[in-house]
Every structure is written in C-alpha cells, then in structure tokens.
Amino acid sequence: MAILTEEQARALLKKALSFSKAEQCEINISGGDSSNIRYARNSVSTSGAVSRNSMVISSAFGKKQGVATINEFDDASLEKAVRRSEELAQLAPENPEFMPYLGPQTYGPDTPTFVKATADLTPKQRADMVAQSLQVAKDNKLTAAGFLENSAGYSAMMNSKGLFAYNTSTDINFSVTLRTDDGKGSGYATKAYNDASKLDTLKLSKVAAQKASGSATARALEPGKYTVILEPAAGIVLLEQLYGSLDARSADEGRSFLSMPGGKTRLGEKLVDERVNIYSDPANPELPTSRWNGDGRPQEKVNWIEKGVVKNLSYSRYWAQKKGVKAIPGPDGIIMDGTDQSLEDLIKGTEKGILVTRLWYIRAVDPQTLLYTGLTRDGTFYIENGKIKFPVKNFRFNESPVIMLNNLDALGKPERTVSGESGQNALIPPMRIRDFTFSSLSDAV
C-alpha cells in the first residue's frame, strides 16, 4: 500500500468531511506497511508483511459523541461511515467531559521521522541482516532467537473547525537472544531507529553472544542491596514507569506518586538527584517524533524533570481547562541527559557492583510510591575493582524509579534504546545506582 501524500490525505479527509451533518466532525486516518522476519533455533521461522489503512470518524452533537471506523474509502463507504458515527452520537449519553474539537494549530518545523531507506528496505536486505545475526550464533555455537521488523506509515487528521495535521514516519526494530547449547548462558541485545542504516545486527549479535558465553557459569550471590550498572535496555523499563505517570489529573486526585495531602502535588518539588534532567523534544535528531499528538495539540520541547525538580505535568484538554492551565500533551519519546562516560568507563569506576543487561516482567507493587518488581535476565555479572569478575544468577528486584534516581551514583553517555516491555523508544544513559534492592534469587536464565 502506498503511503498517502499530504495532499492525498487532505483530499480524502476533505471528501469524508463533506458528508458530515453533525455539529462537529473530526476524522483521523492512518496507514502504512510493515515487514518482519522472526527466527528461532538458528532458523527463520516466519516472514511476513502487513499493509493497513484505517479511518476513524468522530461526530458530535452538543456533548454527545459517536465514533465509527472504516478501511474502505470509496464515496459510498465514506458516507455510510459518517452517517453511522452520527447515529451513534445521537444515541450516546452526554459526556460531561467532552471538549469541543480544536481549531487550526501551529506546529513546529518538520522532524526527520521518515527515512526513505527504511521504508524501501527489501526482503533481501532484511534476510541479509538476519543472516549476519545467525552466523554469529553458529560461529559461537549458540542458539539464536530474534525478531526484525521495519515499517513506514503516515497519519493525518482534519476536523470541521479547520484543523489539519499530517506526519509520516519509519521505524526499524531488532531484538535477539542468544543461548548456550546447555541452556545455562543467555545474552540479549535490542535497538530501534527511524533510520535503518543505524542498525547493526552483526554488532548487536556479537554483544549478545559475548554475554551468553560469559554467563554460562553463573554463581549465586546473596540477595540484598547492591551497586548496579543498568544498561539502557534495563534502565528504560523502570524509567518509563516514572515518566508515564506524570499525569496531572491522577496527581491532583490523589492517585499518583506525585500526590500530596490536601489535593496538592509534588509539581515544583525536588524529587530526585539534581543531575537528573528528563525532557521530550520532537525535533531531537536522534529521537525525532511527530509534531502533534493524537488530538491535534502541538508537541513541543517540554522539561519534565530539570535538575531533579518536577517542572511539568501532562494535562488532558478537559483537566487543563478545569484547572486553568496549559494543556500539555504527554511525552512522545523521552530523553535523559548523561555524560561522556562510556559503559566501560562506568564499569572501570566500580569497586563492587553488578552489571545488569536487562530487566523484564515488570509489575507494579505500589502505585503510590511507584514501587515495581521484576527480574534480571540475559546477562548479569559481578564487577570488582573495575572489572567483570564472574556471571551471577539472576535476581528478583523490588525498586522504585524515584528511589533509584535518588541513589544515582554516575551517568554514562545517552544512547537510543527501546523498551522490551512497552516498545517505546528513549534516549537515555547507562546508570550506576547505589543500594538497588534485589529481594530474592531466580533460577531463570
């Protein structure tokens, strides 16, 4: 399926909108192509491709709203879907929190979310990238399982108030797990980019292979509090619990770790170590994101935590109007400042500690304190006097990203990573953390 150009999307949306008889109508359209290769036991198991197109039509009469979706775009089908959304709106109860649709918005300059080379990636190129990974497994007598997917798409919206927005994007995502033949050693690596030329499956597979071979003779350490170095693929799954909870309404209503007695919040309070700066910026060249969010609001650079202080919270349009503040959308891509130190530099500077490749199976323990539990996986190593000494058995942890960022010891150089839990991208550094709590041992590899 060809990606609709801005003018093609505008014409299609204008035609669909012309059928509307509602007081307000807003239409979103999105689509694209994605292709993938999955492999396991050192062989490709599946290879597929998906093309999709979808239109969402929202009609409103007063505070009554109905929604219909469709993926056929001939005139008769468009008019039928618009009528259906209007019928549903007339039947719906009033939504007391309904907000009128936005008028025209001003968005920042184009961001490099679309890279043609990623969109044009051929089946042979994907096969060659996976072949490099499989060769690493065979050369090292390891067993590989992995997934490679590239996609290209577009999204656009138009409404009866005159708003129009359009964006295209590409993505390539790779993850691989390598295991020793006896199943006692495991290594992992993952990356995702807008630009496929930045993805090096050979290099990543070599890293995973080294971790797998090096972790086969793991020793048990007593659970307790340890200095840890969290690689970005490990740190992201805890950090995303923090920045995904920066919602003003849940804080105001006492449902958040940012809530205070009496309906107050911790906005403006120093929450974590003063070296922590977390922000989002759609124009960042390493992590470009769309200039607008799903309801048409502009995405701008927002400092969420600056020098350890909570500087901003996200607001829905309804809650922002109720509170009389700016309606800041939630972050789409998070960036955390770091230093020039490499991961190897952090290891060299560690007297005693544990290197963690990956955290997974993250589950909430206490939302009010943002306490989470999960397990280490795919390469956990003991560090002494600046060197990796031996692999250690995996642990279960109980930790809060708030406590973690208060126990910050050192930061490395930020690099792009992708969450193995949510699939979200981020640009964050490796982190050395004091007193990270491992609550028990795990027999999992």
Side-chain angles (χ1 to χ4, degrees), residues 188-209:
Y188 172 77
T190 185
K191 287 289 181 185
Y193 299 99
N194 302 87
D195 184 351
S197 69
K198 295 182 178 180
L199 179 65
D200 189 339
T201 57
L202 177 62
K203 180 180 178 181
L204 291 169
S205 299
K206 286 182 176 178
V207 171

Side-chain angles (χ1 to χ4, degrees), residues 4-21 25-29 55 57 73 75 78-79 82 156-160 162-165:
L4 296 187
T5 66
E6 181 171 347
E7 288 313 306
Q8 289 171 329
R10 188 191 296 272
L12 180 59
L13 290 168
K14 192 174 180 180
K15 178 185 288 184
L17 202 57
S18 71
F19 295 119
S20 174
K21 298 177 181 178
C25 185
E26 186 166 272
I27 304 176
N28 289 67
I29 185 171
M55 178 180 286
I57 301 163
F73 301 146
D75 288 6
L78 291 174
E79 183 171 13
V82 171
M157 65 182 297
M158 179 181 285
N159 68 28
S160 53
L163 182 148
F164 176 75

Side-chain angles (χ1 to χ4, degrees), residues 1-6 8-9 12 29-34 50-54 73 114 119-120 152-155 166 168:
M1 183 209 75
I3 293 175
L4 296 187
T5 66
E6 181 171 347
Q8 289 171 329
L12 180 59
I29 185 171
S30 63
D33 301 318
S34 64
V50 176
S51 291
R52 62 174 183 81
N53 237 324
S54 179
F73 301 146
F114 184 90
D120 292 343
Y154 73 97
S155 56
Y166 175 85
T168 55

Side-chain angles (χ1 to χ4, degrees), residues 38-43 130 133-134 136-138 141-148 174-181 183-191 201 204-213 215 357-358 360 377-379 394 420 445:
R38 185 186 300 277
Y39 54 108
R41 295 182 181 274
N42 286 353
S43 298
V130 166
S133 180
L134 288 170
V136 171
K138 292 169 184 173
K141 294 183 170 51
L142 300 168
T143 302
F147 188 68
L148 173 70
F174 172 72
S175 64
V176 63
T177 303
L178 290 165
R179 286 205 169 189
T180 54
D181 288 342
K184 294 182 178 178
S186 182
Y188 172 77
T190 185
K191 287 289 181 185
T201 57
L204 291 169
S205 299
K206 286 182 176 178
V207 171
Q210 187 178 26
K211 287 177 180 290
S213 300
S215 64
T357 298
R358 183 185 183 189
W360 76 300
R377 187 180 183 182
D378 298 322
N394 285 306
V445 175

